[in-house]
Amino acid sequence: MRFIIEILLTGLAFFIGAKLVPGVTIDGYGNAIIAAVLIALANATIGFILRLLTFPVNFLTLGLVSFIITVLMILLVDSMMTSFNTSGFIAAAFLAIVVALIKAIFGAVAGEKD
């Protein structure tokens, strides 16, 4: 049940992020959920492999490379979906930041329950 709630909240974060970041559009909440799931899958597979390969550089840049990989995964999903569009790297970077902040707010409001 917690996994489903996490997916719905991540979709909501992407939907809100698309409304806040100029240059990003998502056609509806359902498509935001699909985009969030695809980005999570891309990060868990391709992103994981890229993070392993770039670990030394990522360590030296204090995680900046990891952030860039996340932005690239957003751009990858953008190219796969017609209902999710970004105007480029900068818009995708701002979307990643806004979504991370919104998810942090959701986590602070809901509290961490284990």
Side-chain angles (χ1 to χ4, degrees), residues 6-114:
E6 183 72 26
I7 289 172
L8 294 174
L9 287 177
T10 303
L12 181 61
F14 270 94
F15 188 71
I16 293 170
K19 298 292 182 191
L20 294 176
V21 177
V24 178
T25 58
I26 296 180
D27 300 335
Y29 179 63
N31 289 317
I33 292 173
I34 294 168
V37 169
L38 289 176
I39 291 168
L41 287 173
N43 262 328
T45 55
I46 300 167
F48 176 74
I49 293 167
L50 289 174
R51 282 179 184 86
L52 281 178
L53 295 173
T54 60
F55 176 74
V57 177
N58 198 13
F59 181 75
L60 291 174
T61 61
L62 303 175
L64 181 63
V65 172
S66 185
F67 173 72
I68 291 171
I69 290 171
T70 300
V71 173
L72 292 175
M73 296 304 108
I74 291 173
L75 291 172
L76 175 67
V77 172
D78 170 25
S79 69
M80 293 174 11
M81 291 182 67
T82 57
S83 56
F84 170 58
N85 296 305
T86 60
S87 62
F89 187 86
I90 300 296
F94 279 118
L95 178 67
I97 293 168
V98 168
V99 167
L101 290 173
I102 292 171
K103 286 186 68 173
I105 291 169
F106 287 164
V109 169
E112 193 64 34
K113 297 175 184 162
D114 289 324

